[in-house]
Structures are given as structure tokens and as C-alpha cells.
């Protein structure tokens, strides 16, 4: 099979809905709507937001509510979750939420499902009251949720209304080979979180493709990889902007929660050698630079992975600079 070009595949957005230093979640929501409206015009395939809890720098905890807000402010771009963390929720509740969304915005809603709680153990307890909905139940819960959104069964004891008969597309998300194998066995599309967990990407893609069973509507494996991109008009400007991303992941390494920080001239003095190594390992699939630099590196990534779609997270402090990065990126994926 001939190698794919960037213009052969769709490009999409993962928005963590960051809360900038000195601002509020309400400001973040305005920036999210503005970005979604722009990327829709630029031809992006889908716009996903991820469930996180107890992070002062991330405002996407009520993911389904935000999906409805963004879908209502746009016209045709697909809007969804990247993802809903299923251990935090009863499958029926998720089916009702996304069935409602699909009923309001038909043909535009995606449901990405993750196995992690998206938070710490204390917050998991606060979300669920107990820990019986463990990650070990994830495969069964995925099947249960898929059934709720499937064909209408008038004889079912429990029905998702709205939800039944909507067939909302479900994507399995993962950062290891577990989700890859599950997605393959269930014949579902798969999205890998290589923007923060790069080490298992190639093994997971191989596992997914090898285990894929065409038992549903999807006849061939469909793999999405999420990466970080910070594109600017010059390499120097992009490198400056990227220090916001590095600071965010440095806080992850340290376990310190902070709002999104503005860029700095240099990371020297902000991290030690071990912290720098840890951050750089997590951010291996981060493409930073001018249009020419980023395009070449993304094409190399596509050559190596042959994914069917690239999803992009851009952790950039200034909203106008984030818009510019996604605008630059859109040019690489325009159909020739």
C-alpha cells in the first residue's frame, strides 16, 4: 500500500479547554467556541473535548454539557468526547446524554470512551461514591452502552430514551494495548493518546489492526492518533510558545495543579535534568515549528504510523496564537 499523504486523511481537534492564568472557566468556554467556529471553516473533521476532574487548569469536566454548547455554536463539524471516562458513569446515563445530543444535533455527535478515571482516587470516590465501577468492568460497560444506543428493542427491561436507535458512533480511547485489543475485538474505531503517552503507540496500533473483527458497520480498522502541534510563522516563535506546553507537563510530573501559564524565554532553571527528561518523553510526539518544519515532521509521523486520522492538541497560551497554529495546520490537510 502506498504511503498516505497528509492531504489524504482528516485532521481533527482535541481541546482540553484550558483555564489560563488570571482567567476563569467562563473565559475558556468563549475561547473554545471561537476555536470550534474557526476550525469548522478550515475543514477540520471533528472537535473533541476530554473529561477531567479536580484540575484547576482544565474546564472540561461536564463534557456532555460542553459538547452541546459547541455543537449549538457550529453547523456541521462533528463534536464529541475524547473522552468520557466510563468508570465515572453508569452506561445508561451516558447513553441518555449522548442520545439527547444526537437527537438535538443529528449526525454530528461522537462518543469517545476512556478507561481511566481522569482524576485522582479521592475525586473518583467523590464522583462515584464507591469504587465498584472499576476499570475492570470497562469492556462489559462498553458493550452495555453500545446496546443502549443500538437498535430499538421494545422488549428491553431498560431502555435509553433518548438514545435507543441513534447509533451514536463510539470510539475506544487508549494509551496502552488494552484498549487497542478491545476496540479490535469489538470492531470499533480506536483513538490513541500519543500526545501524552507515546511509548505504546506503535504496539497499540499493531495490536488493534491484528485483532480487528469486522463484526459491525466498520469493515476495516480505523485508527486515530492524537499529537501535540504548535505551529507559528517562524521556528523561533513556535519554540517560545511551546514553553507553555512544557510548563503544563512539568506540573503533571510534579503533581502540582496550576492554570495554564504564559510562555517564557527559556525553560532553563524551571526544571532539573530528570524533570526535563520525563517531560520530553511524554511529549515525544509534539511537532513545534514553522509551517515547513511541522509539515515535514507530521508527514514523517504519518509515514511511520499510517493512521487514518490525526487529532491535534495545541496547548498555546494566547487564543490568537492557538488559532494561528490550527490555521497553519489546516493547509497541510487540504485535499489536492
Amino acid at each position: 500500500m502506498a504511503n498516505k499523504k497528509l492531504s489524504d486523511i482528516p485532521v481533527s481537534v482535541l481541546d482540553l479547554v484550558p483555564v489560563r492564568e488570571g482567567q476563569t472557566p467562563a473565559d475558556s468556554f468563549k475561547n473554545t467556541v471561537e476555536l470550534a467556529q474557526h476550525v469548522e471553516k478550515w475543514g477540520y473533521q471533528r472537535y473533541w473535548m476530554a473529561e477531567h476532574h479536580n484540575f484547576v487548569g482544565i474546564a472540561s469536566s461536564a463534557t456532555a454539557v460542553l459538547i452541546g454548547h459547541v455543537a449549538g455554536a457550529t453547523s456541521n463539524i462533528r463534536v464529541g468526547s475524547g473522552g468520557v471516562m466510563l468508570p465515572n458513569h453508569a452506561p445508561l446515563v451516558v447513553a441518555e446524554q449522548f442520545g439527547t445530543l444526537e437527537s438535538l444535533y443529528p449526525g454530528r455527535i461522537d462518543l469517545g470512551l476512556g478507561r481511566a478515571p481522569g482524576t485522582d482516587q479521592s475525586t473518583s470516590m467523590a464522583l462515584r461514591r464507591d469504587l465498584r465501577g472499576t476499570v475492570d468492568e470497562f469492556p462489559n460497560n462498553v458493550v452495555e452502552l453500545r446496546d443502549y444506543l443500538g437498535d430499538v428493542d421494545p422488549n428491553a427491561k431498560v431502555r435509553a430514551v433518548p438514545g435507543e436507535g441513534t447509533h451514536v458512533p463510539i470510539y475506544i480511547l487508549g494509551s496502552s494495548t488494552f484498549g487497542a485489543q478491545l476496540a479490535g475485538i469489538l470492531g470499533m474505531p480506536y483513538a490513541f493518546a500519543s500526545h501524552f503517552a507515546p511509548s505504546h503507540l506503535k504496539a497499540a496500533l499493531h495490536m488493534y489492526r491484528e485483532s480487528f473483527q469486522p463484526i459491525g458497520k466498520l469493515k476495516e480498522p480505523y485508527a486515530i492518533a492524537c499529537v501535540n502541534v504548535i505551529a507559528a510563522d517562524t521556528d523561533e516563535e513556535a519554540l517560545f510558545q511551546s514553553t507553555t506546553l512544557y510548563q503544563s507537563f512539568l506540573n503533571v510530573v510534579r503533581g502540582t495543579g496550576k492554570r495554564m501559564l504564559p510562555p517564557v524565554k527559556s525553560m532553563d532553571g524551571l526544571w532539573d535534568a530528570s524533570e526535563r527528561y520525563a517531560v520530553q518523553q511524554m511529549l515525544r510526539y509534539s511537532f513545534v515549528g514553522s509551517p515547513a518544519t511541522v509539515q515535514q515532521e507530521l508527514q514523517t509521523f504519518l509515514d511511520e504510523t499510517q493512521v487514518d486520522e490525526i487529532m491535534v492538541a495545541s496547548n498555546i497560551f494566547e487564543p490568537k496564537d492557538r488559532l494561528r497554529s490550527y490555521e497553519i495546520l489546516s493547509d497541510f490537510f487540504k485535499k489536492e
Side-chain angles (χ1 to χ4, degrees):
M1 183 179 67
N3 277 354
K4 301 172 183 174
K5 294 182 292 186
L6 295 175
S7 57
D8 294 331
I9 67 169
V11 61
S12 297
V13 175
L14 177 67
D15 181 7
L16 298 181
V17 195
V19 183
R20 299 164 68 210
E21 185 181 53
Q23 296 206 328
T24 67
D27 298 310
S28 302
F29 301 149
K30 292 175 184 176
N31 293 333
T32 282
V33 166
E34 183 182 21
L35 177 59
Q37 290 172 336
H38 277 81
V39 297
E40 179 175 64
K41 290 188 296 185
W42 294 331
Y44 281 73
Q45 176 82 1
R46 63 187 93 241
Y47 195 102
W48 281 6
M49 291 160 283
E51 177 185 345
H52 291 83
H53 300 279
N54 199 27
F55 288 91
V56 297
I58 299 177
S60 53
S61 55
T63 317
V65 178
L66 267 184
I67 289 170
H69 183 56
V70 171
T74 52
S75 300
N76 21 53
I77 193 170
R78 299 193 65 89
V79 189
S81 59
V84 162
M85 299 297 119
L86 195 50
N88 298 337
H89 310 280
L92 178 61
V93 174
V94 178
E96 291 170 340
Q97 290 174 343
F98 279 78
T100 299
L101 289 166
E102 176 65 22
S103 300
L104 290 167
Y105 308 103
R108 295 185 54 208
I109 301 300
D110 294 331
L111 173 53
L113 297 175
R115 186 170 66 114
T119 189
D120 57 87
Q121 188 170 7
S122 297
T123 308
S124 293
M125 289 287 292
L127 283 165
R128 290 182 264 152
R129 316 312 298 175
D130 63 59
L131 289 176
R132 284 179 294 177
T134 65
V135 295
D136 297 329
E137 297 176 12
F138 182 69
N140 290 335
N141 287 340
V142 169
V143 173
E144 180 183 349
L145 177 48
R146 186 172 66 174
D147 289 343
Y148 285 136
L149 295 171
D151 293 337
V152 176
D153 180 4
N155 298 316
K157 290 184 178 180
V158 180
R159 298 166 64 179
V161 182
E164 59 179 10
T166 57
H167 298 281
V168 175
I170 300 177
Y171 295 73
I172 300 297
L173 313 185
S175 56
S176 69
T177 56
F178 178 91
Q181 186 174 35
L182 178 64
I185 291 170
L186 295 178
M188 300 171 76
Y190 178 63
F192 190 89
S194 39
H195 61 300
F196 73 85
S199 58
H200 296 294
L201 171 64
K202 292 179 181 177
L205 290 176
H206 178 76
M207 174 74 75
Y208 172 56
R209 289 162 178 156
E210 287 294 308
S211 62
F212 184 81
Q213 303 291 324
I215 58 177
K217 291 184 177 180
L218 191 65
K219 299 308 177 187
E220 294 182 348
Y222 190 89
I224 303 172
C226 188
V227 299
N228 300 293
V229 173
I230 297 174
D233 293 317
T234 66
D235 287 332
E236 293 74 21
E237 178 61 25
L239 288 170
F240 172 66
Q241 293 175 13
S242 72
T243 57
T244 290
L245 176 64
Y246 295 141
Q247 289 177 89
S248 295
F249 275 76
L250 178 58
N251 285 323
V252 170
V253 169
R254 290 176 174 173
T256 53
K258 292 183 179 179
R259 284 175 163 80
M260 177 187 267
L261 297 171
V264 293
K265 289 184 178 179
S266 173
M267 290 295 294
D268 293 342
L270 296 181
W271 54 15
D272 62 29
S274 63
E275 290 172 332
R276 176 177 179 172
Y277 177 79
V279 170
Q280 289 178 336
Q281 287 298 107
M282 295 174 73
L283 296 177
R284 186 188 317 165
Y285 293 123
S286 299
F287 307 111
V288 178
S290 65
T293 299
V294 171
Q295 184 174 17
Q296 182 178 9
E297 291 181 353
L298 275 176
Q299 183 61 57
T300 299
F301 175 81
L302 182 58
D303 292 343
E304 293 176 354
T305 61
Q306 291 293 294
V307 291
D308 303 290
E309 182 175 332
I310 290 177
M311 183 166 279
V312 173
S314 291
N315 206 1
I316 298 173
F317 187 77
E318 291 291 345
K320 64 177 178 60
D321 294 329
R322 184 166 71 154
L323 285 171
R324 178 61 182 144
S325 182
Y326 279 111
E327 181 181 23
I328 290 170
L329 185 66
S330 69
D331 287 337
F332 311 154
F333 291 84
K334 285 181 178 173
K335 304 306 176 191
E336 296 178 352

